[in-house]
Amino acid sequence: MGEIIKGKPVADKIAEELAVEIEVLKGKGISPKLAIVRVGARPDDLAYEKGALTRCKKVGVEAEVHEFSQEITQAEFIAGVKKLNEDKNVHGILVFRPLPSHLDEKELKHVIAAEKDIDCLSPVNEGKLMEGDKTGLAPCTPTAVMEILKHYNVELQGKNVTVIGASMVVGKPAAILLLNENATVTICHIFTKDTAAMACQADVVVVGCGVPRLVKESWIAEGAVVVDVGINVDADGNMCGDVDFDKVVDKVAMITPVPGGVGAVTTSILAKNVVKACKLQNNL
Amino acid sequence: MGEIIKGKPVADKIAEELAVEIEVLKGKGISPKLAIVRVGARPDDLAYEKGALTRCKKVGVEAEVHEFSQEITQAEFIAGVKKLNEDKNVHGILVFRPLPSHLDEKELKHVIAAEKDIDCLSPVNEGKLMEGDKTGLAPCTPTAVMEILKHYNVELQGKNVTVIGASMVVGKPAAILLLNENATVTICHIFTKDTAAMACQADVVVVGCGVPRLVKESWIAEGAVVVDVGINVDADGNMCGDVDFDKVVDKVAMITPVPGGVGAVTTSILAKNVVKACKLQNNL
């Protein structure tokens, strides 16, 4: 059976390092602060928010929630974000997505201050991501994938990596981050002819497509490393990933579980990005 | 023997369409204008400049060259670019790269006005590229690759495409553009274990790595389409691409020649981007 590589040790390690950094910042009179913008009260936003607040509190990042009404207009919404852009005490802004359909995410992307944009909504941060410019803020979930691979000493340079899913939230940025580490990256998606074949040739498979247990044992090469970004609830009400874990686990060298894998690291990256943003804004 | 797909018909078609658009703009009293920024006088910059000026003149885009001394300081250089940012008569700015080593390209990337940045230096345009946001300005060479594939009716959706080379100028943006057309994209580079194997499984191979005749007949699947972005001079002083054309041509369905392939389209894309930038700046 492959090694089940959990998120918790990775998150704990990051939290430990952050706590030290935050102490130093506080010694200089700077207190990193996150502003969460939530429109309405979707259960999954609330669940993530709870985790984020707990994590921030634990490491010493201040956090406040700005709940906007489900009926907010685009103009009011944008004004609310601009106010946070200008608030010198706020270093990071996280806006829960998807937004209600009457709000335009595209305007938000160009309004949010790049230096406070801790989940990489702004094209400025997306561009820096593409360039491998470390002064940018990379999106939390794909960065969590990278931190897990690093923590468990998974070599990437020259390795074949197949990414399944090409969303702007997971697949595309993950592919770029992996490419920036000199992996040979293949990106598969709904139009791919033979995703199984592409996955089979990979040393590392990163899956984030939102299809419960899509990735079967036959898709994975013996001894591969599998990172499962999916969080789904199956027909029986059980939480599961995008990988058929129970069968795949016997074949791999390492695999992340769901829950307790990538999801357990994401809020630590969020806190880490707030601290990074805070340091950038203070020229530290 | 495969079909040799030349750049000229593609360039001519684009030029024809542009001429019509420019007539309309001139009717409104708007004359699209390109500013070329050249530091020093490197022979390859001069060669490209000559082609760009000819193409612009042909389609009716005004063009002016700003030659800066090889000894210009970073501050003077940045000031020069800022002046062009502010010049309402200039719609597109092209800065020849690489810059002399004492100049910092990174500062330039953040200084050049995104709406005039016709070769996608700015992270704003890179980010829009990544998102598939068509209001951005995509880099000329990879866009030329896409225009050639489109002109010759090469289907991309669901096809396996291997990109050889992962530079910010060719490989990375080409991979993103291909992915945005729903191709399954694999990106190979110097650290790739077996580029031949990755190329062999591709329906379309795009090569831009700067190694003369690197891609051999054995790397290419029977009936594939090959686009060669390379422009090299071999030991005998002959111009050649990154593909071993004479041997590969017999195996493929289509292949671009060097010279006369991608290179012949790039300046048309440049002119097209100036017109696009001009329209964006005039809210047209």
Side-chain angles (χ1 to χ4, degrees):
Chain A
M1 197 173 97
E3 185 188 351
I4 299 172
I5 50 174
K6 294 193 174 173
K8 193 170 181 303
V10 186
D12 288 346
K13 180 86 186 302
I14 294 168
E16 218 174 89
E17 290 164 359
L18 274 185
V20 176
E21 280 196 80
I22 292 168
E23 268 316 297
V24 174
L25 286 169
K26 289 192 173 164
K28 295 179 198 286
I30 301 164
S31 181
K33 186 172 176 182
L34 166 67
I36 293 177
V37 174
R38 172 163 48 76
V39 182
R42 293 194 322 157
D44 54 342
D45 287 350
L46 291 173
Y48 188 81
E49 181 179 295
K50 196 179 155 199
L53 293 176
T54 306
R55 174 61 68 186
C56 284
K57 196 170 176 190
K58 218 166 170 176
V59 296
V61 166
E62 283 185 72
E64 60 186 26
V65 177
H66 297 257
E67 181 175 341
F68 293 161
S69 145
Q70 184 76 30
E71 278 75 42
I72 195 170
T73 65
Q74 176 76 7
E76 287 165 341
F77 173 64
I78 292 297
V81 173
K82 281 186 175 164
K83 213 173 140 189
L84 295 171
N85 280 348
E86 283 151 24
D87 184 342
K88 285 212 164 26
N89 294 316
V90 167
H91 304 98
I93 304 171
L94 175 69
V95 182
F96 283 126
R97 290 173 292 162
L99 296 169
S101 57
H102 72 282
L103 295 180
D104 176 17
E105 189 175 309
K106 215 165 152 182
E107 188 181 357
L108 171 65
K109 281 173 163 292
H110 291 89
V111 163
I112 192 168
E115 69 276 13
K116 297 190 178 185
D117 170 37
I118 50 161
D119 203 21
C120 198
L121 265 169
S122 158
V124 174
N125 284 317
E126 288 169 357
K128 287 186 172 184
L129 179 77
M130 206 170 139
E131 280 178 47
D133 179 339
K134 307 277 188 194
T135 67
L137 294 159
C140 297
T141 300
T143 304
V145 170
M146 300 306 288
E147 289 282 345
I148 289 171
L149 292 170
K150 195 173 127 200
H151 185 90
Y152 291 103
N153 299 311
V154 178
E155 172 80 29
L156 290 170
Q157 181 160 307
K159 299 297 176 182
N160 293 341
V161 181
T162 295
V163 175
I164 301 175
S167 72
M168 273 307 290
V169 185
V170 180
K172 268 191 195 177
I176 296 286
L177 289 168
L178 291 157
L179 184 61
N180 290 349
E181 296 298 320
N182 300 323
T184 301
V185 180
T186 300
I187 319 172
C188 300
H189 42 72
I190 194 130
F191 294 104
T192 297
K193 276 189 286 195
D194 190 350
T195 306
M198 292 299 184
C200 250
Q201 68 189 13
D203 303 299
V204 177
V205 180
V206 175
V207 194
C209 56
V211 183
R213 301 194 185 95
L214 175 76
V215 176
K216 308 297 176 203
E217 190 190 354
S218 62
W219 294 29
I220 299 294
E222 199 82 44
V225 173
V226 176
V227 178
D228 187 351
V229 184
I231 298 179
N232 312 289
V233 177
D234 71 10
D236 301 328
N238 299 312
M239 196 187 256
C240 71
D242 295 346
V243 177
D244 193 3
F245 184 91
D246 292 344
K247 285 176 188 146
V248 171
V249 64
D250 287 328
K251 210 172 174 184
V252 295
M254 297 178 185
I255 185 168
T256 60
V258 177
V262 177
V265 181
T266 312
T267 55
S268 295
I269 303 297
L270 184 76
K272 192 175 174 173
N273 272 356
V274 175
V275 173
K276 183 180 179 182
C278 175
K279 288 166 78 177
L280 285 170
Q281 286 158 50
N282 285 283
N283 300 312
L284 291 172
Chain B
M1 198 172 99
E3 185 188 352
I4 298 172
I5 50 175
K6 293 193 174 173
K8 193 172 180 301
V10 186
D12 289 348
K13 179 86 186 300
I14 294 168
E16 219 175 88
E17 292 165 357
L18 273 185
V20 176
E21 281 196 79
I22 291 168
E23 268 316 300
V24 174
L25 286 170
K26 288 191 172 163
K28 296 179 198 285
I30 301 165
S31 181
K33 185 172 175 182
L34 166 68
I36 293 178
V37 174
R38 171 163 49 76
V39 182
R42 293 193 324 157
D44 53 342
D45 287 350
L46 292 173
Y48 188 82
E49 181 179 295
K50 196 179 156 199
L53 293 176
T54 306
R55 175 62 65 185
C56 284
K57 197 172 176 187
K58 219 167 171 175
V59 296
V61 166
E62 284 185 72
E64 60 185 25
V65 177
H66 297 257
E67 180 175 341
F68 292 162
S69 145
Q70 184 76 31
E71 279 76 43
I72 195 170
T73 65
Q74 176 76 9
E76 288 165 342
F77 173 65
I78 292 296
V81 173
K82 282 186 175 164
K83 213 173 142 188
L84 295 170
N85 280 348
E86 284 151 23
D87 184 340
K88 286 214 161 26
N89 295 316
V90 167
H91 303 98
I93 304 171
L94 175 70
V95 182
F96 283 126
R97 291 173 292 163
L99 296 168
S101 58
H102 72 283
L103 294 179
D104 176 18
E105 189 175 309
K106 215 166 152 181
E107 188 180 357
L108 171 65
K109 281 174 164 289
H110 292 90
V111 162
I112 191 168
E115 68 277 12
K116 296 190 179 185
D117 169 37
I118 51 160
D119 203 22
C120 198
L121 265 170
S122 157
V124 173
N125 285 317
E126 288 168 356
K128 287 185 173 185
L129 178 77
M130 207 171 138
E131 280 178 48
D133 180 340
K134 307 277 188 195
T135 68
L137 295 158
C140 297
T141 300
T143 304
V145 171
M146 299 307 289
E147 289 282 346
I148 289 172
L149 292 170
K150 195 174 128 198
H151 185 91
Y152 291 102
N153 298 312
V154 178
E155 171 82 29
L156 289 170
Q157 182 160 307
K159 299 295 176 183
N160 293 342
V161 181
T162 295
V163 176
I164 301 175
S167 73
M168 271 309 290
V169 185
V170 181
K172 268 190 196 177
I176 296 286
L177 289 168
L178 291 157
L179 184 60
N180 290 348
E181 296 298 321
N182 300 322
T184 301
V185 181
T186 300
I187 318 171
C188 299
H189 43 71
I190 193 131
F191 294 104
T192 296
K193 275 189 285 195
D194 190 351
T195 306
M198 291 299 184
C200 250
Q201 67 189 14
D203 303 299
V204 178
V205 180
V206 175
V207 194
C209 56
V211 183
R213 302 193 184 95
L214 174 76
V215 176
K216 307 298 175 202
E217 191 190 354
S218 62
W219 293 30
I220 300 294
E222 199 81 44
V225 173
V226 176
V227 179
D228 188 350
V229 184
I231 299 178
N232 312 290
V233 178
D234 72 10
D236 301 329
N238 298 312
M239 195 187 256
C240 70
D242 295 345
V243 177
D244 192 4
F245 184 91
D246 292 344
K247 286 179 188 142
V248 171
V249 65
D250 287 327
K251 211 173 174 183
V252 296
M254 298 178 184
I255 184 167
T256 60
V258 177
V262 178
V265 181
T266 313
T267 55
S268 294
I269 303 296
L270 185 74
K272 191 175 175 175
N273 272 357
V274 176
V275 173
K276 183 179 179 182
C278 175
K279 288 167 79 179
L280 284 171
Q281 285 157 52
N282 286 284
N283 300 313
L284 293 171

